[in-house]
Amino acid sequence: MAAAATPGLFFCIAATVLLIIATVSAPVWDAVSFLDANINGREVHFGVFGYTGSGTKLGYSLAPQDIGIGYDDSRVNNVILKNLTYVLILHPIAAGFAFIAVVFGICGAANHRSGTIIMAIASAMATVLTLVVWVIDMVLWGITRNRIRNAGDSAQYGNANWMVLGALIALVVGFCTSICGVCGRYSRRGRYNEKV
């Protein structure tokens, strides 16, 4: 077994699980959300495909009148915020690349250097996508949180933001260890059975 590829595999598995959980956030699973708000006495959780009480769809409006707050900040363009919700589709895409890294990491752990090389490439792509989507998450949900707070309601970051950050850290470590796995020692079959 290629011990050098194994740690990268475990980190990529952890990242895949975290990204999948973050993807299945509100309105599908209200326990996982990017932003938790109490708007006019109503608890609202925001996720990748919508928010509490909305339908599941790609891209949704965060305009004050649509989410139920009376405060309208004309300095923030509602169209830009809506377009940023379309970019949230990068969560499942990053999870897909992390899963590809896991599949090829299993090949790498079974003494195939090519599997470890493809795992390193897939984990690098998943890392870049996860970094981009985490920065977008923090900007999008930070602006929305401030809007809700300015209207006199309460809002705080949800647990999905920190799951994406954990996945990002796991992918960085997984990528680094998979690069070490590429350079690791892979024995040839029968090498130890040969008589010198």
Side-chain angles (χ1 to χ4, degrees):
M1 180 162 184
T6 307
L9 173 63
F10 288 122
F11 283 110
C12 288
I13 289 171
T16 302
V17 169
L18 287 171
L19 287 169
I20 289 172
I21 291 172
T23 298
V24 189
S25 56
V28 177
W29 187 13
D30 278 343
V32 179
S33 62
F34 288 92
L35 187 70
D36 298 321
N38 190 339
I39 302 172
N40 297 327
R42 180 175 62 112
E43 192 172 329
V44 181
H45 304 284
F46 295 88
V48 171
F49 297 111
Y51 54 90
T52 305
S54 75
T56 304
K57 59 187 172 203
L58 178 62
Y60 52 94
S61 176
L62 292 173
Q65 63 274 14
D66 292 336
I67 60 175
I69 60 176
Y71 176 79
D72 190 10
D73 187 354
S74 60
R75 296 174 297 156
V76 179
N77 189 335
N78 293 323
V79 175
I80 292 173
L81 289 180
K82 182 175 182 176
N83 288 338
L84 283 176
T85 62
Y86 285 105
V87 180
L88 296 178
I89 193 66
L90 289 177
H91 288 94
I93 293 172
F97 275 105
F99 180 73
I100 290 169
V102 168
V103 169
F104 284 101
I106 292 170
C107 295
N111 280 338
H112 296 284
R113 187 179 306 269
S114 60
T116 308
I117 292 169
I118 297 173
M119 178 178 78
I121 294 168
S123 64
M125 293 181 72
T127 301
V128 169
L129 284 172
T130 305
L131 175 64
V132 167
V133 79
W134 185 74
V135 168
I136 290 170
D137 286 342
M138 298 313 288
V139 169
L140 174 67
W141 303 121
I143 291 170
T144 305
R145 181 187 67 162
N146 289 340
R147 269 187 165 185
I148 293 170
R149 286 182 175 177
N150 289 341
D153 294 316
S154 66
Q156 61 276 347
Y157 288 119
N159 52 7
N161 290 307
W162 313 121
M163 288 181 193
V164 174
L165 179 61
L168 176 62
I169 293 168
L171 283 168
V172 167
V173 174
F175 170 70
C176 292
T177 55
S178 65
I179 290 296
C180 293
V182 168
C183 301
R185 182 175 167 189
Y186 288 79
S187 63
R188 296 179 197 204
R189 296 183 187 257
R191 178 177 163 188
Y192 296 106
N193 296 333
E194 295 176 4
K195 292 188 179 181
V196 181

